[in-house]
Amino acid sequence: MNHGDTAPAPAAAMADIFMEISNSKTASMAVGVVPAASAATVQSDAAKFIFFCWDEGEGHKSPQAWRPREVEIGEPKEGEIRIKNKSIGVNYVDIYYRTGLHHEHLPFVPGKEAVGVVSAVGPGVTGIKVGDVVGYADTQMGTYTEEQIIPAILAIPIPPSVDHITAASVLLKGMTAYVLVRQAFKWANALGATVIGTVSTQEKAAQATEDGCHHVIIYTKEDFVTRVAEITSGKGVHVVYDAVGKDTFKGSLECLMQRGCMISYGQSSGRPEPVPLSDLAPKSLFLGRPGMRHYTTTRDELLHAAGEVFAGIMAGVLHVRVNHVYPLHEAARAHAVLEARRTSGSVVLLPGS
């Protein structure tokens, strides 16, 4: 069972982003979040970011605190490459960081997923050359930018048959799904499981059915705990994948059969209340909170996970829908529609458009 749709979350006031683009070949643009009432300069191996923010208190939680500015990109150092981003994936975790649900020292540039073309290679790098198309996901913050420098070991080669928009829309989500169904708990429809999914609208229900979900529950119209009991004749399910968090966590536990496994991988409605271990005892339940990065710690693990995603796309098993594409300077708008649950499929930002 999968709670893949996001539950209601307070939508922060969104503002247009005003961008300054330079004609300099060494300049790029980034969307940044800065501390309240400050003008900050951040030095990193990749670039120098200069942001200005005049908000106070909790102001950084709103995209009104975002100040795109010119970025001077340096040369890659030992073991690094510079990437000119072509497509940037937007994920709900970006909202977690923006609102402070996940902590990141201010100022910072959001984003955990992108695909681009290698524009420079540092000393000691082998197997990657200028012009290669590569992606990177959930490895370091800062993809809401036109160019970025990353360790070469984190770069994932993109197959020629997968376009950059598709790759950027699915790399992080796809590898996360691989970890959930192949590592954390080995189930999925393609692996022989019966899949029950929850969504918020009839449109999303139709898409879920098309994608292979056997039973779709529109949780805004019916109680998912009662419906799961009906579908399973009261037995419950082997595993629940819950990305919603607070609003569904307790109900998800109720849906499990004896010795069932609860996999929490998101908290779009907020952090769940603490669960006493004794609450798991009546049905001998298992509870886990896996993170993709802990299953892709080696180069081989990373490339294997990405390879599984690309193989699924090319075999037609994994259906990718990119229904929302925005210019990078409209990142705030992308966050608005995602946070308000007005999206279906992936959201992608395009630099330079």
Side-chain angles (χ1 to χ4, degrees):
M1 177 181 172
N2 179 43
H3 293 295
D5 198 359
T6 56
M14 298 292 168
D16 291 335
I17 296 180
F18 298 93
M19 182 176 302
E20 298 174 359
I21 301 294
S22 169
N23 291 324
S24 169
K25 292 183 179 179
T26 62
S28 186
M29 179 281 300
V31 177
V33 180
V34 302
S38 68
T41 299
V42 181
Q43 295 282 356
S44 74
D45 291 340
K48 182 172 77 172
F49 304 100
I50 302 177
F51 301 110
F52 297 93
C53 176
W54 309 109
D55 297 302
E56 297 181 357
E58 296 290 290
H60 71 274
K61 294 185 178 182
S62 167
Q64 289 184 0
W66 290 4
R67 294 294 182 266
R69 288 294 182 266
E70 189 177 285
V71 175
E72 295 298 328
I73 300 294
E75 294 299 317
K77 297 179 180 179
E78 181 82 21
E80 295 180 333
I81 60 175
R82 189 176 67 217
I83 301 172
K84 184 176 179 63
N85 287 335
K86 293 295 185 182
S87 299
I88 301 162
V90 177
N91 297 279
Y92 213 90
V93 70
D94 301 346
I95 295 174
Y96 293 168
Y97 281 104
R98 193 201 79 220
T99 59
L101 189 62
H102 286 182
H103 180 68
E104 182 73 15
H105 291 292
L106 296 168
F108 71 92
V109 177
K112 304 279 282 184
E113 175 182 44
V115 169
V117 177
V118 177
S119 58
V121 176
V125 174
T126 59
I128 300 176
K129 63 183 185 301
V130 171
D132 285 352
V133 180
V134 299
Y136 51 111
D138 199 33
T139 49
Q140 65 182 64
M141 189 75 69
T143 62
Y144 286 24
T145 182
E146 289 181 335
E147 288 193 85
Q148 187 174 11
I149 290 177
I150 69 167
I153 196 172
L154 303 179
I156 300 168
I158 306 299
S161 59
V162 180
D163 66 88
H164 60 86
I165 291 179
T166 297
S169 75
V170 77
L171 203 53
L172 177 57
K173 288 178 278 290
M175 289 196 293
T176 298
Y178 161 77
V179 166
L180 295 176
V181 302
R182 293 291 186 92
Q183 300 292 329
F185 193 95
K186 300 179 181 180
W187 286 103
N189 186 16
L191 306 178
T194 297
V195 179
I196 304 171
T198 66
V199 297
S200 60
T201 67
Q202 189 65 52
E203 177 189 4
K204 294 179 181 181
Q207 291 185 4
T209 300
E210 184 179 336
D211 289 339
C213 191
H214 296 96
H215 305 276
V216 183
I217 302 169
I218 303 177
Y219 66 84
T220 54
K221 296 182 178 180
E222 54 187 338
D223 179 69
F224 73 87
V225 176
T226 301
R227 188 73 185 98
V228 167
E230 293 171 353
I231 294 170
T232 63
S233 300
K235 296 178 181 178
V237 297
H238 291 86
V239 60
V240 174
Y241 299 103
D242 192 324
V244 176
K246 183 178 179 180
D247 290 350
T248 59
F249 196 86
K250 185 174 292 186
S252 293
L253 287 175
E254 292 180 35
C255 290
L256 291 168
M257 64 170 54
Q258 288 185 9
R259 294 181 292 176
C261 184
M262 167 75 166
I263 302 295
S264 172
Y265 69 104
Q267 47 194 22
S268 59
S269 66
R271 287 190 178 95
E273 296 296 326
V275 178
L277 285 176
S278 56
D279 285 3
L280 307 178
K283 291 194 288 186
S284 295
L285 301 179
F286 296 88
L287 174 61
R289 184 62 166 88
M292 190 196 82
R293 70 184 63 183
H294 300 128
Y295 291 83
T296 55
T297 55
T298 68
R299 179 74 176 161
D300 287 344
E301 288 175 337
L302 177 66
L303 295 182
H304 180 75
E308 289 287 301
V309 174
F310 295 137
I313 294 173
M314 291 183 283
V317 175
L318 181 57
H319 304 154
V320 181
R321 290 186 175 87
V322 185
N323 296 336
H324 308 270
V325 179
Y326 301 93
L328 177 56
H329 67 267
E330 293 187 9
R333 182 182 172 197
H335 273 226
V337 296
L338 180 59
E339 199 168 13
R341 299 187 306 144
R342 297 200 303 269
T343 63
S344 62
S346 296
V347 182
V348 171
L349 303 175
L350 299 182
S353 59

